[in-house]
Amino acid sequence: MTTRLVIGNKNYSSWSLRAWLALRKAGALFEEVRIPLDTPQFEAQVGRYSPTGTVPVLHDQGLVVWDSLAICEYANERFAAGRLWPAGREARAQARAACAEMHAGFEPLREALPMNCRATGRKVEIDAAVTRDVARIQALWSECRAQHGAAGPWLFGAFSIADCYFAPVVFRFRGYGVPVAGAVEAYCKAVLADPDVKDWQRAAEEEDEVIAAEEVGE
């Protein structure tokens, strides 16, 4: 197999989930190489695959793509014939803007509520910055669903890269008991019920590595 995706722990690696989900939804056949994060094994092996020493990184027929959004874009072009972005120009622009906002922003949310697929209902102290991030994400999801909900259960009706980008946030909301309602709750349920997301969840539950710094809340 000439297509290989190198990822970290499925339980913790949100960026790996984004790239992996894009490849699955694109219908790509690919080999997974999983290197546990924060281990001597990771330090010893990641340099064989990644020029930046980070994951995810995609290898395809001699090409190396080392950024999650670039991997999603490549999967869309190489395997999905463009269908992982909305067909309409305006919706496509909105979806790209949403991905860029997630790609570069929401640092307080990321730090306070690390993705942990095995966690459910943990309690953590949520400060004003995290509250703003949660409110912004929920407002964005609600707006997308109001505009595109008639076309399907995803943010822009049909599944898109935007859903790859926000799937880890759904795990965060569930893991730390972030209140959801209405369109946001329906969207979270759609993500968690998706067969590919459920495959990722099952694999995360089977992992035995524990990263203490990522195990927050009670």
Side-chain angles (χ1 to χ4, degrees):
M1 191 175 296
T2 59
T3 305
R4 175 181 297 153
L5 182 68
V6 184
I7 61 174
N9 309 63
K10 289 189 172 180
N11 191 54
Y12 301 113
S13 184
S14 60
W15 296 108
S16 295
L17 170 55
R18 292 175 173 112
W20 182 92
L21 193 54
L23 286 166
R24 285 289 288 260
K25 293 303 184 185
L29 297 177
F30 62 97
E31 176 190 359
E32 290 179 27
V33 176
R34 192 186 74 95
I35 311 177
L37 301 172
D38 198 28
T39 63
Q41 178 185 352
F42 185 88
E43 296 300 324
Q45 294 185 11
V46 70
R48 294 164 49 192
Y49 303 103
S50 173
T52 62
T54 61
V55 291
V57 59
L58 177 70
H59 289 242
D60 184 50
Q61 298 182 340
L63 176 70
V64 179
V65 187
W66 62 89
D67 173 83
S68 60
L69 187 52
I71 294 169
C72 291
E73 289 275 17
Y74 183 77
N76 180 53
E77 295 179 7
R78 167 94 160 84
F79 303 108
R83 60 181 168 79
L84 291 186
W85 286 123
R89 183 183 62 211
E90 293 183 0
R92 194 162 58 247
Q94 289 177 313
R96 284 190 165 120
C99 288
E101 186 176 1
M102 184 70 245
H103 196 65
F106 304 116
E107 185 173 348
L109 175 80
R110 293 178 189 176
E111 291 187 358
L113 309 179
M115 190 181 85
N116 186 331
C117 296
R118 295 192 295 253
T120 56
R122 294 195 183 181
K123 301 302 180 185
V124 297
E125 184 174 345
I126 296 179
D127 64 15
V130 177
T131 298
R132 285 193 296 270
D133 280 355
V134 169
R136 169 58 191 152
I137 290 168
Q138 294 201 12
L140 174 61
W141 290 358
S142 295
E143 180 181 358
C144 291
R145 297 297 300 137
Q147 293 181 18
H148 307 285
W154 304 102
L155 290 176
F156 292 87
F159 188 93
S160 74
I161 293 172
D163 301 296
C164 297
Y165 257 66
F166 286 101
V169 179
V170 173
F171 277 119
R172 285 177 160 101
F173 282 5
R174 184 191 69 169
Y176 303 101
V178 174
V180 294
V184 171
E185 181 180 18
Y187 176 65
C188 289
K189 288 181 177 179
V191 170
L192 293 171
D194 177 75
D196 292 317
V197 174
K198 290 174 77 172
D199 280 351
W200 180 277
Q201 169 77 41
R202 281 191 291 269
E205 291 173 349
E206 292 172 0
E207 293 176 340
D208 57 9
E209 301 94 0
V210 174
I211 300 177
E214 305 296 314
E215 295 289 338
V216 303
E218 298 178 354

